[in-house]
Amino acid sequence: MKNNKKIIAANWKMNGSEELMKEFSQLTPPKHNDVIICPPFTLLDSAKTLLPNFIKIGAQNCSEEDNGAFTGEISATMLRDSHVSYVIIGHSERRTLYRETDTVILKKVESVIKNELTPIVCIGETLSEKKANKTLEVLEKQIDASITRVNTHTRLIVAYEPIWAIGTGLTPNEYEIRETHLHIKKKLNLHFNIDVPVLYGGSANAENCSKILSVENVDGLLVGGASLKKHDFEMICNC
Ligand code: 13P
């Protein structure tokens, strides 16, 4: 996806059903935005069969390994064979609940790129880090540890998701989003010498989407809760 359109990505997390997928199969192509839906692994197959072609499919995680004795894991190779195009890597829920470190995240990103899929790498600060004015420092550290070490010139999307904004109804103000995105974008573009799309995620919804999308250097949204309601998601896609 290399054009001037914004990217609207849905992260269904551990939610959704065949029924919901059927509802989403009725979505109509938005004029100005590209759409990615990342359902749980068990719904990837129905996503492929039911969703219209304009919607690209993503997974929410993968193993850092290609194959082997890793019970319960799914590799990027397997996802590629399941017609997935994107993989969310390093979501804060995986970093905190499943103790994924920057080192593991780096390996996952490398595996995703090696398999010719596009990683959507999540970064973000906690509330206490924000209060201590450490946002940019934390983001730089995450980028240095798990993104700029990757050797890629094409496939990469970064999602800035302030942890305190996820599922809380809170969002940074436009000034904060502008500053943070500018900082992330400058660093990535300087390093990779290409334009790396940077999405915003955290309580994005049908009401605030136009405001957030109009902020400079916001290339799209990674939407959680609001992506589970067809009507809301459709409105966001048409923002
Ligand atoms: P919410 O949109 O529910 O805050 O979730 C954001 C998110 O975690 C997307 O990855």
Side-chain angles (χ1 to χ4, degrees), residues 11 13 91 161 165-167 202-204 222-225:
N11 176 8
K13 307 193 180 183
H91 191 280
E161 299 207 305
I166 296 177
S203 296
L222 181 55
V223 189

Side-chain angles (χ1 to χ4, degrees), residues 17-36:
S17 61
E18 190 87 16
E19 281 316 299
L20 191 70
M21 197 61 82
K22 280 186 192 142
E23 265 187 61
F24 275 62
S25 69
Q26 306 300 317
L27 286 172
T28 49
K31 280 204 187 79
H32 306 295
N33 302 321
D34 288 320
V35 182
I36 305 170

Side-chain angles (χ1 to χ4, degrees), residues 10-220:
N11 176 8
W12 281 11
K13 307 193 180 183
M14 202 172 71
N15 297 296
S17 61
E18 190 87 16
E19 281 316 299
L20 191 70
M21 197 61 82
K22 280 186 192 142
E23 265 187 61
F24 275 62
S25 69
Q26 306 300 317
L27 286 172
T28 49
K31 280 204 187 79
H32 306 295
N33 302 321
D34 288 320
V35 182
I36 305 170
I37 294 188
C38 307
F41 289 131
T42 49
L43 289 172
L44 287 175
D45 216 36
S46 6
K48 191 186 96 192
T49 16
L50 294 173
L51 293 178
N53 277 342
F54 74 89
I55 299 179
K56 301 283 179 258
I57 303 170
Q60 300 170 17
N61 178 35
C62 72
S63 167
E64 62 270 40
E65 307 290 343
D66 278 345
N67 49 50
F70 302 101
T71 303
E73 292 290 291
I74 291 180
S75 68
T77 319
M78 293 167 173
L79 292 173
R80 187 192 54 201
D81 292 344
S82 308
H83 305 275
V84 159
S85 315
Y86 297 85
V87 189
I88 298 173
I89 298 291
H91 191 280
S92 67
E93 285 147 20
R94 297 218 54 92
R95 289 177 189 258
T96 45
L97 302 171
Y98 303 98
R99 297 185 187 84
E100 279 187 13
T101 59
D102 281 328
T103 314
V104 168
I105 291 163
L106 174 65
K107 284 189 185 159
K108 291 187 176 195
V109 173
E110 284 172 335
S111 176
V112 170
I113 290 174
K114 188 180 77 186
N115 282 285
E116 302 185 341
L117 307 176
T118 304
I120 302 176
V121 192
C122 301
I123 54 174
E125 82 286 2
T126 62
L127 187 58
S128 54
E129 287 163 344
K130 176 185 163 55
K131 282 184 175 161
N133 272 328
K134 290 200 165 146
T135 300
L136 298 182
E137 190 186 315
V138 169
L139 298 176
E140 288 237 356
K141 200 168 148 267
Q142 290 171 339
I143 292 173
D144 287 337
S146 56
I147 304 179
T148 47
R149 284 165 193 236
V150 175
N151 190 4
T152 184
H153 290 288
T154 47
R155 293 168 215 281
L156 181 64
I157 297 177
V158 168
Y160 168 54
E161 299 207 305
I163 297 169
W164 53 270
I166 296 177
T168 57
L170 303 171
T171 58
N173 64 37
E174 287 153 85
Y175 173 78
E176 289 170 319
I177 297 179
R178 183 175 300 114
E179 286 296 287
T180 316
H181 275 246
L182 175 67
H183 196 85
I184 297 170
K185 203 79 177 171
K186 255 194 185 165
K187 187 170 170 70
L188 292 171
N189 291 5
L190 200 71
H191 179 86
F192 289 112
N193 214 12
I194 52 163
D195 184 52
V196 178
V198 180
L199 315 184
Y200 168 81
S203 296
N205 57 38
E207 280 84 54
N208 62 21
C209 61
S210 336
K211 201 168 70 182
I212 300 177
L213 283 173
S214 66
V215 175
E216 225 176 309
N217 291 316
V218 173
D219 299 307

